[in-house]
C-alpha cells in the first residue's frame, strides 16, 4: 500500500493482501462468545478506524453510540425484535448519521487552516455543503450514505482485529432515539453487534457473480 506522498505520516503497517483478505473473509457474526467482550482500547481503535471513512466535504457527519450496560443491552435486544446475538456480542454500536450540517463550521475552518482552501472558496463551498441538507430527503440520504461508509470501516476493522461484527437494521429507530435521547438532527443508520466470536459461522451464502452485477458503459436495453 502506497503512503500519501503529501503526508508526513508514516506508512500504515498493513499490506494490500491483508486488506483484500479482510474484505474476502469478513462475515456477519451470529455466534458470539457471551462470556467475553471487546476491551476499551480495541473499541476506541475500531472507532478511530471508522472515522477514517470518506465523507462528503469531509464533514464526518456521524456519531457512534456504544452500549455495553446489561440492562440497556436488554432494551436494545427488545427494540431489535429479540435478536439475541446483540446481547451475546456484549457491545452494541449504533452508527448515527447527521441530517443537518452540524460540523460544517469546524470542518471548513480546517480546510482553510490547512491551506487547502482560501476563505472565499471555503465560504462558498460551505454554503453548498449546508445547502445539501435543505431538503429533508437529501439530508437523510446524506446521513445514510456517509454513516454507511463509516459502518463498513468499522466492520472491517473489527474483523481485522479478530472480532466478530454484524451490521443490522432490524431495530425500531424511533424506540432507539427515545431510549438514548438521540438529538433530532441525527438518525440511527446501522446497529452493529460487536464482540469476540463464539466459533465458526455457517458457510457464506453465494454472491451474485461479477458478470451479472457489472454493467459496462450502461445497461442493456
Ligand atoms: C443493511 C443491512 C441490514 C442487516 N440487518 C441485519 C439484521 O437486522 N440482523 C442480522 O442478524 N443481520 C443483518 N444483516 C447482516 C446480513 O444478513 C448479512 O450481511 C448477509 O447475510 C451476508 O452475510 P455476510 O455479511 O456474513 O457476508 C444486515 C446487513 C445489512 C447490510
Amino acid at each position: 500500500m502506497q503512503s500519501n506522498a503529501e503526508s508526513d505520516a508514516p506508512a500504515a503497517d498493513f499490506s494490500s493482501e491483508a486488506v483484500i483478505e479482510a474484505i474476502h473473509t469478513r462475515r456477519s457474526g451470529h455466534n458470539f462468545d457471551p462470556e467475553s467482550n471487546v476491551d476499551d482500547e480495541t473499541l476506541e481503535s475500531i472507532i478511530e478506524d471508522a472515522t477514517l471513512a470518506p465523507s462528503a466535504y469531509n464533514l464526518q457527519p456521524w456519531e457512534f453510540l456504544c452500549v455495553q450496560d446489561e440492562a440497556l443491552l436488554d432494551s436494545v435486544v427488545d427494540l431489535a425484535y429479540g435478536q439475541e446475538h446483540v446481547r451475546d456480542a456484549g457491545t452494541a454500536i449504533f452508527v448515527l448519521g447527521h441530517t443537518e450540517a452540524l460540523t460544517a463550521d469546524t470542518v471548513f475552518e480546517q480546510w482553510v487552516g490547512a491551506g487547502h482552501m482560501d476563505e472565499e472558496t471555503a465560504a462558498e463551498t460551505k454554503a453548498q455543503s449546508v445547502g445539501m441538507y435543505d431538503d429533508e430527503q437529501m439530508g437523510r440520504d446524506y446521513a445514510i450514505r456517509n454513516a454507511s461508509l463509516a459502518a463498513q470501516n468499522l466492520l472491517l476493522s473489527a474483523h481485522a482485529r479478530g472480532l466478530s461484527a454484524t451490521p443490522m437494521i432490524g431495530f425500531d429507530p424511533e424506540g432507539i432515539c427515545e431510549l438514548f435521547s438521540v438529538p433530532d438532527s441525527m438518525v440511527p443508520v446501522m446497529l452493529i453487534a460487536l464482540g469476540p466470536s463464539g466459533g465458526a459461522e455457517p458457510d457464506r451464502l453465494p454472491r451474485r457473480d461479477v458478470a451479472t452485477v457489472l454493467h459496462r458503459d450502461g445497461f442493456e436495453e
Side-chain angles (χ1 to χ4, degrees):
M1 182 81 37
Q2 285 188 332
S3 62
N4 181 348
E6 290 174 15
S7 164
D8 291 334
D13 180 20
F14 61 83
S15 66
S16 310
E17 291 78 10
V19 175
I20 302 296
E21 189 187 341
I23 291 169
H24 279 252
T25 56
R26 180 214 56 80
R27 295 298 313 283
S28 293
H30 290 86
N31 179 13
F32 290 93
D33 176 0
E35 303 302 325
S36 58
N37 204 349
V38 58
D39 63 78
D40 285 350
E41 196 183 333
T42 306
L43 174 68
E44 286 173 19
S45 299
I46 290 172
I47 299 300
E48 184 186 358
D49 293 344
T51 66
L52 294 173
S55 60
Y57 299 99
N58 195 37
L59 288 183
Q60 305 154 65
W62 43 55
E63 312 289 331
F64 304 89
L65 167 65
C66 175
V67 184
Q68 292 181 315
D69 174 86
E70 284 189 20
L72 287 174
L73 270 182
D74 284 345
S75 302
V76 170
V77 171
D78 286 346
L79 288 165
Y81 314 114
Q83 297 195 73
E84 297 283 343
H85 49 292
V86 181
R87 186 186 294 106
D88 289 347
T91 298
I93 300 174
F94 288 93
V95 184
L96 304 151
H98 298 177
T99 53
E100 296 171 23
L102 303 178
T103 57
D105 287 342
T106 311
V107 166
F108 281 97
E109 269 172 32
Q110 291 169 345
W111 280 104
V112 174
H116 293 322
M117 254 183 217
D118 61 42
E119 300 240 1
E120 196 183 334
T121 313
E124 280 168 17
T125 318
K126 184 170 105 178
Q128 246 173 40
S129 76
V130 173
M132 300 301 280
Y133 291 87
D134 281 350
D135 177 84
E136 197 181 322
Q137 177 67 45
M138 274 188 73
R140 228 187 122 73
D141 286 354
Y142 246 43
I144 291 168
R145 287 169 173 166
N146 288 299
S148 293
L149 290 174
Q152 177 68 354
N153 263 27
L154 200 161
L155 296 175
L156 287 171
S157 171
H159 176 54
R161 293 171 189 280
L163 294 164
S164 201
T166 308
M168 301 168 62
I169 57 167
F171 63 88
D172 166 10
E174 283 171 14
I176 291 299
C177 288
E178 198 181 324
L179 178 64
F180 294 108
S181 308
V182 173
D184 288 344
S185 53
M186 296 172 196
V187 60
V189 171
M190 199 77 73
L191 161 60
I192 296 179
L194 173 73
S197 170
E201 298 293 336
D203 288 346
R204 190 197 282 283
L205 290 174
R207 289 302 206 250
R208 297 170 66 211
D209 61 32
V210 174
T212 310
V213 298
L214 174 62
H215 308 276
R216 296 180 188 272
D217 301 327
F219 282 81
E220 281 170 28
E221 299 203 4

